[in-house]
Amino acid sequence: MSDSQQVPVLVAPRPYTVEVGPGLLSEVGPRLRQATPAGRATVVTDDIVAPRFARVVRESLSSAGFLASEVVVPAGETSKTWARAGLVLDAFAGAGLDRTDVVVALGGGVIGDLAGFAAAVFLRGIDLVQLPTTLLAQVDSSVGGKTGVDLDAGKNLAGAFKQPLFVLADTDTLSSLPQSEWSSGLAEVAKAGIIEGEDFLSWLEVSAEGLRSRQPSSIAEAVRRSVEFKARVVSADERESGLRECLNYGHTFGHAVEKVAGFGAVSHGIAVAEGIRFASRLAVDVIGAPVGFAHRQGHLLDVLEIPRIRLDLDPDALREAMSSDKKARSGLPRFVLADAPGSWRVTTVPDELLKRHIGDFVGVGASGEAGSDEEGLT
Ligand code: NAD
Ligand code: GLY
């Protein structure tokens, strides 16, 4: 496909490619046939995505000689559970998949994480293809091999690394995304820009209008830049022993918001945007980041029109959730903090300071002044 871009993810023993461009869903059958002699392919998708895109994927697979089946789960984070993973595994067994067969994840990050996890454990691991259909999944979750489900105790607490055979990010699918999901995806793009460095961050600032109005050229570049960034990080540190931790920027607080609000109540990207605002303020006190950098990040999220949420959540419950986050060590929450574009470190935070910041932040969100508010920074 001439107007698609290919980004390599250099993980051993099997590097793979993320292809970004229009019209790619109908290419999945031929691409998969080049990659495997498998006989069966099971498409895992959700009940919002299935009516839009499942047929084209199944037809493409069938035309390439695969016996295609489908598992449809309810849309949303509430499907990212241990119990739902069990049902998906039962469906794989019912479809007669063997060790040479393939799971095709068609949907957003929930489907990618759930189907990827099921593919990682079925028969101790069968092949996986990612067909991301949300902005968030195209720029982040389909790349890098993290899969898993939420437990009552916390977000993504059970999972496995499962790199796909390839990823096809069909940018045509994004046109049906509701505004809330668009904003959620832009939050992960903003994260990538802030952590990658000045070039990406400045591009986002000048391209905000094009991204808000979903101009195809801006979308294509945002997805490409984000995927290139993530692919570089994952290629250098697949298992998160150092560099990959930067991808958790905004996530310590964001995951706590998701858990305390109840999984599914706040979308992942919107929670991460709150987490970026929180971390940018914390960085001023903890690592001496310039206040102006925190303002700059808040401004970026505002010009991308990523909505604030009312954070009338219990501060103690948020702190407790951060302590049981999978990034915590010995019960101490850890944060990625940045003091300039592309300059970050991971650190714990003294408990009293953390409590004060949570109190200030939750107060800001609940009063409705958030977004343009800058008083909580000092
Ligand atoms: P999602 O999968 O729930 O999708 C959001 C909503 O959009 C759903 O209702 C879905 O049915 C709908 N949808 C999907 N594609 C659509 C389309 N083209 N048109 C219309 N509607 C569409 O959520 P998400 O935001 O894509 O992903 C969030 C999940 O990703 C979270 O569970 C998060 O933890 C995970 N995540 C994982 C990683 C990773 O590295 N594995 C990284 C970031 C996030
Ligand atoms: N989204 C975090 C990671 O992929 O490492």
Side-chain angles (χ1 to χ4, degrees), residues 140-141 143-146 161 188 191 230 233-234 238 240 244-248 251 255 268 326:
D140 193 340
S141 62
V143 182
K146 279 191 184 175
F161 284 97
E188 292 281 19
K191 173 199 81 177
K230 184 155 185 186
V233 171
V234 169
E238 182 191 5
E240 199 170 299
R244 188 166 179 167
E245 290 196 276
C246 73
L247 301 177
N248 296 324
H251 283 56
H255 280 172
H268 178 70
K326 65 178 159 37

Side-chain angles (χ1 to χ4, degrees), residues 86-104:
L87 295 174
V88 171
L89 291 167
D90 286 341
F92 291 171
L97 299 192
D98 69 30
R99 281 189 166 155
T100 65
D101 291 330
V102 186
V103 172
V104 178

Side-chain angles (χ1 to χ4, degrees), residues 26 55-57 61 65 69 121 217 261 305 316 359:
S26 60
R55 199 174 80 174
V56 65
V57 169
L61 290 167
S69 57
V121 297
S217 60
E305 291 182 349
D316 289 335

